[in-house]
Amino acid sequence: MNHQSNLEKIIAILQDICPGVDYKTCQTLIDQQILDSFAILSIVAELQDAFDVYLTPMDIQPSNFNSAQALTALMERKKAGGK
Amino acid sequence: MSFVSLKFVLFVLVAVVGYYNIPKRGQWVWLLLFSYAYYASAGFKIVPFLLFSTMVSYAAGILLGQVNNLPTELEHRQKRKRFILIVALLLQFGMLFALKYAHWIFGNLFSLRQWLLPLGISFYTFQSAGYIIDVYWEKFAPEKSFLRYALFVSFFPQLLQGPIGRFNRLAQQLYEEHTLNWTQIEQGIQRILWGFFKKMILADNAARFVDEVLWWNNYQKYSGTVILVAILGYSLQLYGDFSGGMDIVKGIALFFGIDLDENFKRPYFASSIADFWHRWHITLGTWMKDYVFYPISLSKPMNRFGKFSRNTFGKQLGRALPIAVANLVVFFLVGVWHGANMKFIVYGLYHGLLIALEGLLLPYTRAWDNKWRNLATLRTFLLIQISWYFDRADHLDHAFALMQKTVTDFHITDFWNGTLFLNGANRIGPWFYGILLVGCLILYLVSYYQEKGMQLGEWLCAKPVAVRFMVYLILLYALPALGTLSSSSGGFIYAQF
């Protein structure tokens, strides 16, 4: 699956869990407290199912969750077997 | 040495003057000396516990750092790390358990509490444990110098009641060289004066009424109306005491050029219980979130439960259920953190249940709460008041008895027939209510403008010197004139934890 379709898939998940945010441009999902811990864990559950990866507490960093792009990069790293 | 004492003012004065007049490379050593002197002033016999916690977490950090440097593909690397982590956490929390909780389970036979409960032990244990877990997670390399690490655990302004610091945000500030910055000093003075305002004028004044009415042996003398007012007074007392203490801690740290994490952000403006915990004792909440809530939620059994729950109950409920379970565990621990007493466990579970319920109902309540934010804030405030019954009561039966009396012995006429002034030796006059009402109005206005994003400290700093001087002078005069001084637990409720 290419990068663009991964990004679109993640934006769809984000919209489903926390609607009403422009995920294409927003880079401060954690810094501006748009996503709370409840939303983060819902997103993690969906991402794990959708990408067949396993996330650990170490992955829950603002830098990984601040934007749809950062989440896409995280998923791609995980798929490639990296940290 | 209480914050509210001349001795402490002199202690800080000497520390600050010396800090900026010794060679800069020795500033962190100076802070370490003063930190241990401060802790020892509460009794030399409690110092070994602080040292033990420091040594265990320091050694664990070093050992974990060595294993972290091994190649990731090496067999047993993860097992070794986990072994070090478990032993270190068992030692850290074992000490806390023996001192704070063992008497509750085993009686006094196996407990050290009968001899002493070191001040601030819950705070520095959690701070050290957080460091160990962060090194285990390879968030940063461990600190190599024992003395530098010892300062991170013992920095004196935050030692007794937090905030619970994180190594990656606090340590570098402690070790780097600082030049005297008068703006920062003035901001520190502002925070300290504001803290003393909350502590002495609001919290300790309110305590006179609260302690009289809610005491186990006394409450039956008073009507439900008086008890309700006392609970509202307790919410003011607790907030003023703890957040005022934090303002003082932040202010003192600013004198040394150190910016500690905020522990309070206007909690009574919260629009949900989850929001309340983003604003109340923030550093305990984020500690629990990072080191308990996420690890439980992302554990393999919880993942399996999550999948089962989504398949069985559908997407919305299925997502929320595992989070609700993890929340209950977290808030059970928050309750236990407050003390070895069933009332604290019920207090924690009450909050955990409400947050779980909020999570489950979120899809249905989100739109309503966004539209009627003030009503959501009022609802949250009232739910929080119920939890204060558990927090303030002497024990669980006392909490339920207070609740029962509030409901069954409530008389609206008590608000204007003089009952609230109490009678006899403990009579409280209109002057008391006047001070508290004006104090609350000032607190509300300041909080309101802060909530709107206004930086009141910076705004005041931009005023002419004469205006600022007058404001500080008025506050300085008002504190002893209108305030009360409590003598229990070194002056602050949370120093007991």
Side-chain angles (χ1 to χ4, degrees):
Chain A
M1 206 176 265
N2 66 27
H3 177 76
Q4 190 56 33
S5 65
N6 285 341
L7 180 64
E8 279 165 14
K9 201 162 148 184
I10 285 173
I11 288 177
I13 289 172
L14 291 168
Q15 284 290 3
D16 179 42
I17 290 168
C18 191
V21 181
D22 182 4
Y23 289 104
K24 282 183 183 155
T25 57
C26 187
Q27 301 288 320
T28 50
L29 295 173
I30 302 295
D31 297 346
Q32 288 195 314
Q33 295 174 359
I34 296 166
L35 300 180
D36 58 13
S37 50
F38 194 93
I40 289 171
L41 286 177
S42 301
I43 292 163
V44 167
E46 294 298 324
L47 291 177
Q48 290 189 149
D49 281 353
F51 290 87
D52 194 25
V53 293
Y54 176 63
L55 295 182
T56 70
M58 280 172 276
D59 298 314
I60 313 291
Q61 308 275 353
S63 56
N64 286 335
F65 280 77
N66 253 335
S67 66
Q69 290 82 358
L71 275 170
T72 311
L74 174 68
M75 286 304 105
E76 288 169 356
R77 279 201 309 278
K78 284 279 166 186
K79 285 298 275 183
K83 272 188 184 180
Chain B
M1 198 189 311
S2 166
F3 280 5
V4 197
S5 70
L6 188 62
K7 222 186 329 179
F8 184 70
V9 173
L10 288 173
F11 179 84
V12 172
L13 200 67
V14 173
V16 174
V17 171
Y19 187 73
Y20 291 109
N21 285 289
I22 57 169
K24 284 199 174 76
R25 64 179 186 283
Q27 282 177 326
W28 70 267
V29 183
W30 183 260
L31 277 184
L32 179 62
L33 288 172
F34 272 79
S35 294
Y36 267 80
Y38 175 72
Y39 201 60
S41 74
F44 278 103
K45 61 185 178 183
I46 63 171
V47 176
F49 298 100
L50 176 62
L51 264 176
F52 177 79
S53 182
T54 307
M55 286 193 291
V56 166
S57 47
Y58 170 77
I62 293 291
L63 291 173
L64 283 168
Q66 285 168 359
V67 186
N68 286 345
N69 288 333
L70 296 174
T72 46
E73 61 276 11
L74 196 75
E75 216 184 339
H76 301 314
R77 180 181 185 270
Q78 196 54 30
K79 272 187 186 163
R80 265 193 243 175
K81 282 181 63 172
R82 198 167 293 154
F83 176 75
I84 298 166
L85 176 77
I86 289 170
V87 171
L89 292 183
L90 280 176
L91 287 171
Q92 284 284 340
F93 289 111
M95 179 180 77
L96 184 66
F97 178 81
L99 289 163
K100 198 169 167 180
Y101 302 104
H103 74 287
W104 194 36
I105 296 169
F106 304 117
N108 279 340
L109 190 62
F110 296 102
S111 168
L112 298 174
R113 191 190 168 103
Q114 54 192 311
W115 295 307
L116 77 169
L117 179 64
L119 288 171
I121 185 168
S122 303
F123 292 98
Y124 64 73
T125 302
F126 273 54
Q127 184 156 315
S128 308
Y131 167 82
I132 298 170
I133 300 170
D134 281 344
V135 177
Y136 171 80
W137 282 342
E138 300 178 40
K139 279 191 180 171
F140 43 75
E143 173 55 53
K144 289 197 175 70
S145 155
F146 176 71
L147 292 180
R148 278 158 67 103
Y149 179 72
L151 174 60
F152 162 70
V153 182
S154 66
F155 179 50
F156 79 88
Q158 63 168 152
L159 188 54
L160 297 195
Q161 49 179 347
I164 301 167
R166 298 296 181 89
F167 188 81
N168 52 342
R169 284 200 295 276
L170 174 61
Q172 197 48 42
Q173 290 190 72
L174 292 169
Y175 309 149
E176 67 193 11
E177 297 175 359
H178 293 275
T179 308
L180 183 61
N181 176 337
W182 283 108
T183 307
Q184 222 163 27
I185 298 280
E186 186 173 347
Q187 284 168 346
I189 291 171
Q190 283 177 359
R191 282 299 287 257
I192 290 170
L193 286 174
W194 181 236
F196 276 125
F197 166 80
K198 285 191 206 166
K199 166 70 179 157
M200 291 170 70
I201 295 184
L202 297 179
D204 290 349
N205 269 332
R208 287 172 49 213
F209 182 84
V210 172
D211 291 347
E212 163 62 24
V213 174
L214 298 182
W215 188 36
W216 170 239
N217 287 334
N218 263 11
Y219 80 97
Q220 280 167 324
K221 287 195 311 201
Y222 298 107
S223 72
T225 324
V226 178
I227 288 172
L228 179 66
V229 172
I231 286 292
L232 289 170
Y234 181 63
S235 75
L236 177 67
Q237 180 198 353
L238 192 61
Y239 175 60
D241 189 287
F242 195 11
S243 79
M246 285 301 105
D247 286 322
I248 297 168
V249 165
K250 284 269 297 177
I252 296 169
L254 276 174
F255 287 166
F256 302 102
I258 288 152
D259 187 17
L260 295 175
D261 289 338
E262 290 289 352
N263 227 3
F264 286 89
K265 280 184 186 160
R266 302 164 294 285
Y268 294 137
F269 281 66
S271 57
S272 66
I273 302 294
D275 187 24
F276 175 79
W277 282 97
H278 292 147
R279 297 159 173 267
W280 177 278
H281 206 173
I282 298 167
T283 55
L284 177 67
T286 51
W287 195 100
M288 288 287 178
K289 184 179 76 181
D290 291 346
Y291 303 122
V292 181
F293 180 67
Y294 284 142
I296 289 177
S297 303
L298 298 177
S299 64
K300 282 185 178 147
M302 203 53 116
N303 262 322
R304 280 198 292 274
F305 175 58
K307 271 189 186 147
F308 161 79
S309 146
R310 286 197 296 281
N311 290 336
T312 314
F313 303 108
K315 211 157 61 169
Q316 294 288 2
L317 185 62
R319 267 183 205 150
L321 261 183
I323 302 172
V325 171
N327 247 320
L328 276 177
V329 175
V330 166
F331 277 91
F332 169 77
L333 292 175
V334 166
V336 171
W337 180 91
H338 280 81
N341 193 320
M342 191 52 85
K343 65 167 189 161
F344 285 129
I345 291 180
V346 174
Y347 165 81
L349 287 176
Y350 171 81
H351 278 270
L353 273 172
L354 285 178
I355 292 180
L357 211 60
E358 278 176 357
L360 294 171
L361 296 176
L362 189 67
Y364 316 103
T365 56
R366 197 196 314 252
W368 195 90
D369 277 357
N370 285 341
K371 192 175 175 193
W372 303 100
R373 170 133 185 142
N374 287 342
L375 282 179
T377 302
L378 180 66
R379 178 194 65 208
T380 307
F381 181 78
L382 294 176
L383 289 171
I384 295 295
Q385 298 316 301
I386 294 172
S387 76
W388 294 149
Y389 279 87
F390 298 115
D391 188 62
R392 179 58 184 83
D394 287 15
H395 45 77
L396 196 56
D397 290 345
H398 184 203
F400 288 127
L402 288 171
M403 283 179 186
Q404 189 187 18
K405 208 156 185 348
T406 304
V407 175
T408 58
D409 193 18
F410 181 84
H411 312 284
I412 192 88
T413 49
D414 285 354
F415 280 110
W416 56 80
N417 67 7
T419 306
L420 292 177
F421 292 137
L422 311 185
N423 289 317
N426 296 306
R427 187 176 158 75
I428 280 172
W431 178 240
F432 165 84
Y433 286 103
I435 292 172
L436 277 189
L437 285 175
V438 173
C440 283
L441 185 66
I442 294 171
L443 178 68
Y444 174 78
L445 287 174
V446 169
S447 305
Y448 176 82
Y449 284 109
Q450 285 177 332
E451 193 67 10
K452 295 274 169 201
M454 198 169 163
Q455 302 289 331
L456 288 173
E458 287 174 20
W459 173 79
L460 190 59
C461 276
K463 297 284 165 208
V465 178
V467 174
R468 282 141 60 194
F469 189 70
M470 278 302 289
V471 171
Y472 302 148
L473 211 62
I474 289 170
L475 261 173
L476 209 57
Y477 172 76
L479 290 173
L482 305 176
T484 306
L485 206 57
S486 101
S487 57
S488 62
S489 66
F492 289 88
I493 294 171
Y494 266 72
Q496 299 168 84
F497 299 127

